[in-house]
Amino acid sequence: MSSLLEIDSVIKSYDRIQVLTDIYFKCETGEIIGLIGRNGTGKSTLLKILFGTLSAERKFIRIDNRVVLNPYLAKNKICYLPQDDFIPRHLKVVKAVTLFLEKEKVDAFFDDTILQPLKESKIGYLAGGELRYLEIKLLINTECKFIMLDEPFNGVSPIIIDHIKQLLLDKSKTKGIILTDHDYNNVVDIATRLCLIFDGGIKHIQDKIELVKWGYLLGKMV
């Protein structure tokens, strides 16, 4: 049975400048929503408000038609990958995984060509792309119905990006995924739906020509 995440009537300002204006946004399980927009348009702000860790002048968040005041406190509903690393650097990879996942999931988690050789390494010794992959795979393997990813491809090698994209495609069959990244080509590759934040609102994008229309891309980039 599918689940639905909605955020409605969002208003958010910084220094009296309105960044988000009466936004309505939704994601269903089975979808990968690509959230794009120029720097400073409010992509990360919207994700943090949706997660519940950033306040707004106004917002209504619903999961399966029930209002949720603090989504991050709701069990198995929503999780969020911030731009900054979140795993303590002194932990070994295997320890971090055993703390994060149920015991019965650990062996299958390490059946992975990228992570198996890193099992006994400390988090602080991982390359940026390896750590990003580990963080994303941990979140995507939780019981949460909705996964939000802020800059998942940043600083990641093309090979690991391909692994991340395949992981998201596989898991999106049962989860709703929202991701934002400046590398829009990778977002477009896997998104089932594109949403552009423009002038404080949401534009639902059907093709790249619309990205030119709204000033996100130059005509020669299409």
Side-chain angles (χ1 to χ4, degrees):
M1 184 175 178
S2 64
S3 289
L4 176 64
L5 171 66
E6 300 173 280
I7 186 166
D8 197 1
S9 305
V10 181
I11 294 179
K12 177 64 178 177
S13 302
Y14 291 108
D15 298 325
R16 299 184 180 181
I17 298 173
Q18 208 165 86
V19 178
L20 300 174
T21 305
D22 203 25
I23 276 182
Y24 172 76
F25 179 76
K26 70 175 182 177
C27 178
E28 295 184 65
T29 49
E31 286 190 304
I32 300 178
I33 308 299
L35 187 64
I36 56 179
R38 289 180 173 269
N39 287 342
T41 53
K43 302 183 300 297
S44 295
T45 294
L46 180 59
L47 293 185
K48 290 174 185 176
I49 292 171
L50 188 48
F51 190 50
T53 52
L54 181 65
S55 63
E57 287 93 286
R58 191 173 70 192
K59 66 176 182 180
F60 296 96
I61 300 170
R62 296 182 294 270
I63 299 177
D64 295 331
N65 295 316
R66 291 187 177 183
V67 173
V68 182
L69 297 179
N70 297 299
Y72 68 95
L73 295 176
K75 184 179 180 181
N76 295 335
K77 298 298 184 183
I78 189 168
C79 59
Y80 170 58
L81 176 79
Q83 292 184 22
D84 299 324
D85 305 333
F86 67 83
I87 305 175
R89 299 177 67 82
H90 69 278
L91 292 178
K92 286 187 175 182
V93 171
V94 64
K95 182 64 173 179
V97 172
T98 55
L99 288 173
F100 209 86
L101 297 180
E102 295 87 346
K103 184 177 179 180
E104 60 271 16
K105 289 186 175 183
V106 172
D107 287 343
F109 186 88
F110 281 109
D111 186 14
D112 184 298
T113 57
I114 295 173
L115 295 179
Q116 182 62 41
L118 304 173
K119 193 172 181 179
E120 297 299 327
S121 300
K122 284 192 174 182
I123 297 296
Y125 295 157
L126 300 188
E130 293 169 340
L131 178 54
R132 206 63 174 157
Y133 178 73
L134 171 62
E135 291 174 329
I136 292 167
K137 188 169 182 180
L138 281 173
L139 292 183
I140 209 78
N141 275 281
T142 65
E143 296 299 318
C144 288
K145 295 180 180 180
F146 297 97
I147 314 293
M148 301 191 300
L149 308 173
D150 197 349
E151 300 286 341
F153 306 125
N154 186 35
V156 180
S157 70
I159 291 176
I160 295 183
I161 284 176
D162 286 343
H163 279 81
I164 291 173
K165 285 167 33 177
Q166 189 58 55
L167 180 64
L168 298 181
L169 287 168
D170 291 342
K171 292 294 184 177
S172 68
K173 296 170 185 176
T174 57
K175 297 180 183 291
I177 299 172
I178 305 168
L179 73 154
T180 182
D181 202 284
H182 291 300
D183 188 346
Y184 82 94
N185 282 311
N186 283 314
V187 175
V188 170
D189 277 350
I190 61 172
T192 57
R193 188 155 56 88
L194 286 176
C195 294
L196 173 72
I197 296 185
F198 177 83
D199 197 23
I202 290 277
K203 306 293 182 185
H204 298 279
I205 302 301
Q206 302 300 320
D207 55 48
K208 286 186 177 181
I209 298 297
E210 290 191 57
L211 296 178
V212 176
K213 173 185 174 182
W214 297 112
Y216 182 72
L217 293 180
L218 297 174
K220 64 183 179 181
M221 298 175 68
V222 177

Short mmCIF file of all heavy atoms in Angstrom, two decimals, residues 115-162:
data_model
loop_
_atom_site.label_atom_id
_atom_site.label_comp_id
_atom_site.label_asym_id
_atom_site.label_seq_id
_atom_site.Cartn_x
_atom_site.Cartn_y
_atom_site.Cartn_z
N LEU A 115 31.76 -1.44 0.03
CA LEU A 115 31.84 -1.39 1.49
C LEU A 115 32.57 -2.57 2.12
O LEU A 115 33.15 -2.43 3.20
CB LEU A 115 30.43 -1.29 2.07
CG LEU A 115 29.66 -0.01 1.73
CD1 LEU A 115 28.27 -0.05 2.36
CD2 LEU A 115 30.42 1.23 2.21
N GLN A 116 32.56 -3.73 1.49
CA GLN A 116 33.20 -4.90 2.09
C GLN A 116 34.68 -4.65 2.45
O GLN A 116 35.10 -4.96 3.57
CB GLN A 116 33.07 -6.12 1.17
CG GLN A 116 33.66 -7.40 1.73
CD GLN A 116 32.99 -7.85 3.02
OE1 GLN A 116 31.78 -7.78 3.14
NE2 GLN A 116 33.77 -8.31 3.98
N PRO A 117 35.48 -4.06 1.55
CA PRO A 117 36.89 -3.82 1.91
C PRO A 117 37.08 -2.75 2.99
O PRO A 117 38.17 -2.64 3.56
CB PRO A 117 37.50 -3.33 0.58
CG PRO A 117 36.54 -3.74 -0.48
CD PRO A 117 35.19 -3.70 0.15
N LEU A 118 36.04 -1.97 3.26
CA LEU A 118 36.14 -0.87 4.21
C LEU A 118 35.59 -1.24 5.58
O LEU A 118 35.57 -0.39 6.49
CB LEU A 118 35.36 0.35 3.68
CG LEU A 118 35.77 0.86 2.30
CD1 LEU A 118 34.80 1.95 1.83
CD2 LEU A 118 37.19 1.40 2.31
N LYS A 119 35.16 -2.46 5.76
CA LYS A 119 34.41 -2.87 6.94
C LYS A 119 35.12 -2.52 8.25
O LYS A 119 34.49 -2.05 9.20
CB LYS A 119 34.15 -4.38 6.86
CG LYS A 119 33.13 -4.90 7.84
CD LYS A 119 32.82 -6.37 7.53
CE LYS A 119 31.76 -6.92 8.48
NZ LYS A 119 31.44 -8.34 8.17
N GLU A 120 36.44 -2.73 8.32
CA GLU A 120 37.19 -2.49 9.56
C GLU A 120 37.86 -1.12 9.58
O GLU A 120 38.58 -0.81 10.53
CB GLU A 120 38.24 -3.59 9.75
CG GLU A 120 37.68 -4.99 9.92
CD GLU A 120 36.78 -5.11 11.15
OE1 GLU A 120 37.06 -4.42 12.15
OE2 GLU A 120 35.81 -5.89 11.10
N SER A 121 37.61 -0.29 8.58
CA SER A 121 38.21 1.05 8.54
C SER A 121 37.44 2.00 9.45
O SER A 121 36.24 1.85 9.67
CB SER A 121 38.18 1.60 7.11
OG SER A 121 38.89 0.77 6.23
N LYS A 122 38.14 3.02 9.95
CA LYS A 122 37.48 4.06 10.72
C LYS A 122 36.80 5.04 9.76
O LYS A 122 37.30 5.29 8.66
CB LYS A 122 38.47 4.80 11.61
CG LYS A 122 38.89 4.02 12.85
CD LYS A 122 39.64 4.91 13.83
CE LYS A 122 39.90 4.15 15.12
NZ LYS A 122 40.60 5.02 16.12
N ILE A 123 35.67 5.57 10.19
CA ILE A 123 34.92 6.53 9.37
C ILE A 123 35.80 7.68 8.93
O ILE A 123 35.73 8.13 7.77
CB ILE A 123 33.70 7.06 10.14
CG1 ILE A 123 32.71 5.93 10.46
CG2 ILE A 123 33.00 8.18 9.37
CD1 ILE A 123 32.08 5.28 9.25
N GLY A 124 36.65 8.15 9.81
CA GLY A 124 37.51 9.29 9.50
C GLY A 124 38.53 9.04 8.42
O GLY A 124 39.11 9.99 7.88
N TYR A 125 38.78 7.76 8.09
CA TYR A 125 39.75 7.42 7.05
C TYR A 125 39.11 7.20 5.68
O TYR A 125 39.83 6.98 4.69
CB TYR A 125 40.52 6.15 7.44
CG TYR A 125 41.38 6.30 8.68
CD1 TYR A 125 41.75 5.20 9.45
CD2 TYR A 125 41.82 7.56 9.09
CE1 TYR A 125 42.54 5.33 10.58
CE2 TYR A 125 42.61 7.70 10.22
CZ TYR A 125 42.96 6.59 10.96
OH TYR A 125 43.74 6.75 12.08
N LEU A 126 37.81 7.24 5.61
CA LEU A 126 37.14 7.01 4.32
C LEU A 126 37.28 8.23 3.41
O LEU A 126 37.30 9.38 3.87
CB LEU A 126 35.65 6.73 4.52
CG LEU A 126 35.25 5.52 5.37
CD1 LEU A 126 33.75 5.31 5.29
CD2 LEU A 126 35.99 4.27 4.93
N ALA A 127 37.36 7.97 2.11
CA ALA A 127 37.30 9.06 1.13
C ALA A 127 35.89 9.65 1.15
O ALA A 127 34.93 8.99 1.57
CB ALA A 127 37.64 8.53 -0.26
N GLY A 128 35.78 10.89 0.69
CA GLY A 128 34.49 11.57 0.74
C GLY A 128 33.37 10.82 0.04
O GLY A 128 32.25 10.71 0.56
N GLY A 129 33.67 10.25 -1.14
CA GLY A 129 32.66 9.51 -1.88
C GLY A 129 32.27 8.21 -1.20
O GLY A 129 31.10 7.81 -1.22
N GLU A 130 33.25 7.54 -0.57
CA GLU A 130 32.96 6.29 0.16
C GLU A 130 32.04 6.56 1.34
O GLU A 130 31.09 5.82 1.59
CB GLU A 130 34.27 5.66 0.64
CG GLU A 130 35.17 5.17 -0.48
CD GLU A 130 36.56 4.79 -0.02
OE1 GLU A 130 36.97 5.25 1.08
OE2 GLU A 130 37.25 4.05 -0.74
N LEU A 131 32.33 7.65 2.06
CA LEU A 131 31.50 8.00 3.22
C LEU A 131 30.09 8.37 2.79
O LEU A 131 29.10 7.98 3.42
CB LEU A 131 32.15 9.14 4.00
CG LEU A 131 31.38 9.66 5.21
CD1 LEU A 131 31.04 8.53 6.18
CD2 LEU A 131 32.18 10.75 5.92
N ARG A 132 29.99 9.13 1.69
CA ARG A 132 28.67 9.54 1.21
C ARG A 132 27.84 8.30 0.83
O ARG A 132 26.65 8.21 1.13
CB ARG A 132 28.83 10.47 0.01
CG ARG A 132 27.68 11.44 -0.21
CD ARG A 132 27.55 12.36 0.95
NE ARG A 132 26.55 13.40 0.73
CZ ARG A 132 25.95 14.04 1.73
NH1 ARG A 132 26.26 13.76 2.97
NH2 ARG A 132 25.06 14.97 1.48
N TYR A 133 28.49 7.37 0.16
CA TYR A 133 27.80 6.13 -0.23
C TYR A 133 27.33 5.36 1.00
O TYR A 133 26.18 4.87 1.04
CB TYR A 133 28.74 5.27 -1.07
CG TYR A 133 28.16 3.94 -1.49
CD1 TYR A 133 27.19 3.88 -2.49
CD2 TYR A 133 28.57 2.76 -0.90
CE1 TYR A 133 26.64 2.66 -2.88
CE2 TYR A 133 28.04 1.54 -1.29
CZ TYR A 133 27.08 1.49 -2.27
OH TYR A 133 26.53 0.28 -2.65
N LEU A 134 28.19 5.26 2.01
CA LEU A 134 27.83 4.56 3.25
C LEU A 134 26.63 5.23 3.91
O LEU A 134 25.67 4.54 4.31
CB LEU A 134 29.02 4.56 4.21
CG LEU A 134 28.74 4.06 5.63
CD1 LEU A 134 28.29 2.60 5.62
CD2 LEU A 134 29.98 4.24 6.51
N GLU A 135 26.65 6.55 4.02
CA GLU A 135 25.55 7.27 4.66
C GLU A 135 24.23 7.05 3.92
O GLU A 135 23.19 6.80 4.53
CB GLU A 135 25.87 8.76 4.72
CG GLU A 135 27.00 9.10 5.68
CD GLU A 135 27.38 10.57 5.61
OE1 GLU A 135 27.24 11.19 4.53
OE2 GLU A 135 27.83 11.10 6.64
N ILE A 136 24.29 7.15 2.60
CA ILE A 136 23.07 6.98 1.80
C ILE A 136 22.54 5.56 1.92
O ILE A 136 21.33 5.35 2.10
CB ILE A 136 23.35 7.34 0.32
CG1 ILE A 136 23.62 8.84 0.18
CG2 ILE A 136 22.19 6.92 -0.57
CD1 ILE A 136 24.19 9.24 -1.15
N LYS A 137 23.43 4.59 1.87
CA LYS A 137 22.98 3.20 1.96
C LYS A 137 22.39 2.90 3.34
O LYS A 137 21.40 2.16 3.45
CB LYS A 137 24.12 2.23 1.65
CG LYS A 137 23.64 0.78 1.53
CD LYS A 137 24.68 -0.16 0.96
CE LYS A 137 24.09 -1.57 0.84
NZ LYS A 137 25.05 -2.53 0.28
N LEU A 138 22.96 3.49 4.39
CA LEU A 138 22.39 3.32 5.73
C LEU A 138 20.96 3.86 5.79
O LEU A 138 20.05 3.18 6.26
CB LEU A 138 23.26 4.02 6.77
CG LEU A 138 24.53 3.30 7.21
CD1 LEU A 138 25.36 4.20 8.12
CD2 LEU A 138 24.21 1.99 7.92
N LEU A 139 20.77 5.07 5.31
CA LEU A 139 19.44 5.68 5.37
C LEU A 139 18.43 4.92 4.52
O LEU A 139 17.28 4.71 4.95
CB LEU A 139 19.50 7.14 4.90
CG LEU A 139 20.26 8.12 5.79
CD1 LEU A 139 20.16 9.53 5.22
CD2 LEU A 139 19.74 8.10 7.21
N ILE A 140 18.85 4.50 3.35
CA ILE A 140 17.92 3.85 2.43
C ILE A 140 17.53 2.45 2.92
O ILE A 140 16.53 1.88 2.49
CB ILE A 140 18.53 3.80 1.00
CG1 ILE A 140 17.43 3.81 -0.05
CG2 ILE A 140 19.43 2.61 0.82
CD1 ILE A 140 16.84 5.15 -0.30
N ASN A 141 18.32 1.90 3.85
CA ASN A 141 18.02 0.58 4.40
C ASN A 141 17.28 0.63 5.73
O ASN A 141 17.06 -0.42 6.35
CB ASN A 141 19.31 -0.24 4.55
CG ASN A 141 19.68 -0.94 3.26
OD1 ASN A 141 19.12 -1.98 2.91
ND2 ASN A 141 20.61 -0.36 2.52
N THR A 142 16.90 1.82 6.18
CA THR A 142 16.04 1.91 7.36
C THR A 142 14.61 1.56 6.97
O THR A 142 14.30 1.38 5.79
CB THR A 142 16.08 3.33 7.95
OG1 THR A 142 15.51 4.25 7.01
CG2 THR A 142 17.49 3.75 8.30
N GLU A 143 13.73 1.53 7.97
CA GLU A 143 12.32 1.25 7.72
C GLU A 143 11.55 2.49 7.29
O GLU A 143 10.35 2.41 7.02
CB GLU A 143 11.68 0.66 8.98
CG GLU A 143 12.25 -0.69 9.40
CD GLU A 143 12.07 -1.75 8.33
OE1 GLU A 143 10.97 -1.81 7.73
OE2 GLU A 143 13.01 -2.52 8.09
N CYS A 144 12.23 3.64 7.22
CA CYS A 144 11.54 4.89 6.89
C CYS A 144 10.91 4.82 5.50
O CYS A 144 11.53 4.32 4.55
CB CYS A 144 12.51 6.07 6.95
SG CYS A 144 12.99 6.52 8.62
N LYS A 145 9.71 5.38 5.38
CA LYS A 145 9.01 5.36 4.11
C LYS A 145 9.54 6.42 3.14
O LYS A 145 9.45 6.25 1.93
CB LYS A 145 7.51 5.59 4.34
CG LYS A 145 6.82 4.48 5.12
CD LYS A 145 5.34 4.80 5.32
CE LYS A 145 4.64 3.70 6.09
NZ LYS A 145 3.19 4.02 6.28
N PHE A 146 10.05 7.52 3.69
CA PHE A 146 10.50 8.64 2.86
C PHE A 146 11.95 9.00 3.20
O PHE A 146 12.32 9.14 4.36
CB PHE A 146 9.58 9.85 3.05
CG PHE A 146 8.17 9.57 2.63
CD1 PHE A 146 7.21 9.22 3.57
CD2 PHE A 146 7.81 9.63 1.29
CE1 PHE A 146 5.90 8.94 3.18
CE2 PHE A 146 6.51 9.34 0.89
CZ PHE A 146 5.56 8.99 1.84
N ILE A 147 12.74 9.19 2.14
CA ILE A 147 14.16 9.50 2.27
C ILE A 147 14.43 10.81 1.55
O ILE A 147 14.09 10.95 0.36
CB ILE A 147 15.05 8.39 1.64
CG1 ILE A 147 14.58 6.99 2.06
CG2 ILE A 147 16.51 8.63 1.96
CD1 ILE A 147 14.76 6.67 3.51
N MET A 148 15.05 11.76 2.24
CA MET A 148 15.41 13.04 1.62
C MET A 148 16.93 13.17 1.59
O MET A 148 17.60 12.97 2.62
CB MET A 148 14.79 14.20 2.40
CG MET A 148 13.28 14.14 2.48
SD MET A 148 12.56 15.67 3.13
CE MET A 148 13.32 15.74 4.74
N LEU A 149 17.46 13.48 0.43
CA LEU A 149 18.91 13.53 0.22
C LEU A 149 19.33 14.90 -0.29
O LEU A 149 18.89 15.33 -1.36
CB LEU A 149 19.33 12.45 -0.78
CG LEU A 149 18.86 11.02 -0.49
CD1 LEU A 149 19.21 10.10 -1.66
CD2 LEU A 149 19.47 10.49 0.80
N ASP A 150 20.20 15.58 0.47
CA ASP A 150 20.68 16.90 0.10
C ASP A 150 22.11 16.77 -0.42
O ASP A 150 23.02 16.44 0.34
CB ASP A 150 20.63 17.83 1.32
CG ASP A 150 20.72 19.30 0.94
OD1 ASP A 150 21.03 19.60 -0.23
OD2 ASP A 150 20.49 20.16 1.82
N GLU A 151 22.30 17.00 -1.70
CA GLU A 151 23.61 16.91 -2.38
C GLU A 151 24.23 15.51 -2.24
O GLU A 151 25.39 15.38 -1.83
CB GLU A 151 24.57 17.97 -1.83
CG GLU A 151 24.10 19.40 -1.99
CD GLU A 151 24.21 19.89 -3.44
OE1 GLU A 151 24.95 19.28 -4.23
OE2 GLU A 151 23.55 20.88 -3.77
N PRO A 152 23.52 14.46 -2.62
CA PRO A 152 24.09 13.10 -2.47
C PRO A 152 25.27 12.82 -3.40
O PRO A 152 26.06 11.93 -3.12
CB PRO A 152 22.90 12.19 -2.82
CG PRO A 152 22.04 13.02 -3.71
CD PRO A 152 22.16 14.42 -3.18
N PHE A 153 25.39 13.57 -4.50
CA PHE A 153 26.46 13.29 -5.47
C PHE A 153 27.66 14.21 -5.32
O PHE A 153 28.64 14.09 -6.06
CB PHE A 153 25.91 13.42 -6.90
CG PHE A 153 24.69 12.59 -7.16
CD1 PHE A 153 23.51 13.16 -7.63
CD2 PHE A 153 24.69 11.22 -6.92
CE1 PHE A 153 22.39 12.40 -7.88
CE2 PHE A 153 23.57 10.45 -7.15
CZ PHE A 153 22.41 11.03 -7.63
N ASN A 154 27.63 15.11 -4.36
CA ASN A 154 28.69 16.09 -4.20
C ASN A 154 30.01 15.43 -3.77
O ASN A 154 30.07 14.74 -2.75
CB ASN A 154 28.28 17.14 -3.15
CG ASN A 154 29.29 18.27 -3.06
OD1 ASN A 154 29.89 18.69 -4.04
ND2 ASN A 154 29.49 18.78 -1.85
N GLY A 155 31.07 15.65 -4.55
CA GLY A 155 32.38 15.11 -4.22
C GLY A 155 32.51 13.61 -4.40
O GLY A 155 33.41 12.99 -3.83
N VAL A 156 31.62 13.01 -5.19
CA VAL A 156 31.59 11.56 -5.36
C VAL A 156 32.05 11.20 -6.76
O VAL A 156 31.69 11.86 -7.74
CB VAL A 156 30.16 11.03 -5.12
CG1 VAL A 156 30.11 9.52 -5.29
CG2 VAL A 156 29.67 11.42 -3.73
N SER A 157 32.88 10.16 -6.86
CA SER A 157 33.41 9.74 -8.16
C SER A 157 32.30 9.17 -9.03
O SER A 157 31.28 8.68 -8.53
CB SER A 157 34.50 8.68 -7.97
OG SER A 157 33.93 7.46 -7.51
N PRO A 158 32.49 9.20 -10.37
CA PRO A 158 31.45 8.68 -11.28
C PRO A 158 31.06 7.23 -11.01
O PRO A 158 29.88 6.88 -11.13
CB PRO A 158 32.11 8.84 -12.66
CG PRO A 158 33.03 10.00 -12.51
CD PRO A 158 33.58 9.87 -11.11
N ILE A 159 32.02 6.39 -10.63
CA ILE A 159 31.70 4.98 -10.38
C ILE A 159 30.77 4.84 -9.17
O ILE A 159 29.77 4.12 -9.21
CB ILE A 159 33.00 4.16 -10.15
CG1 ILE A 159 33.78 4.04 -11.46
CG2 ILE A 159 32.66 2.77 -9.61
CD1 ILE A 159 35.11 3.34 -11.33
N ILE A 160 31.08 5.58 -8.10
CA ILE A 160 30.24 5.50 -6.90
C ILE A 160 28.89 6.16 -7.16
O ILE A 160 27.86 5.71 -6.66
CB ILE A 160 30.95 6.10 -5.68
CG1 ILE A 160 32.19 5.26 -5.34
CG2 ILE A 160 30.02 6.18 -4.48
CD1 ILE A 160 32.95 5.72 -4.11
N ILE A 161 28.87 7.24 -7.96
CA ILE A 161 27.60 7.86 -8.34
C ILE A 161 26.69 6.84 -9.02
O ILE A 161 25.49 6.77 -8.73
CB ILE A 161 27.83 9.08 -9.26
CG1 ILE A 161 28.33 10.27 -8.44
CG2 ILE A 161 26.53 9.46 -9.99
CD1 ILE A 161 28.68 11.49 -9.26
N ASP A 162 27.26 6.03 -9.90
CA ASP A 162 26.46 5.00 -10.58
C ASP A 162 25.88 4.01 -9.57
O ASP A 162 24.72 3.58 -9.69
CB ASP A 162 27.31 4.26 -11.61
CG ASP A 162 27.57 5.10 -12.86
OD1 ASP A 162 26.86 6.10 -13.06
OD2 ASP A 162 28.50 4.76 -13.61
#
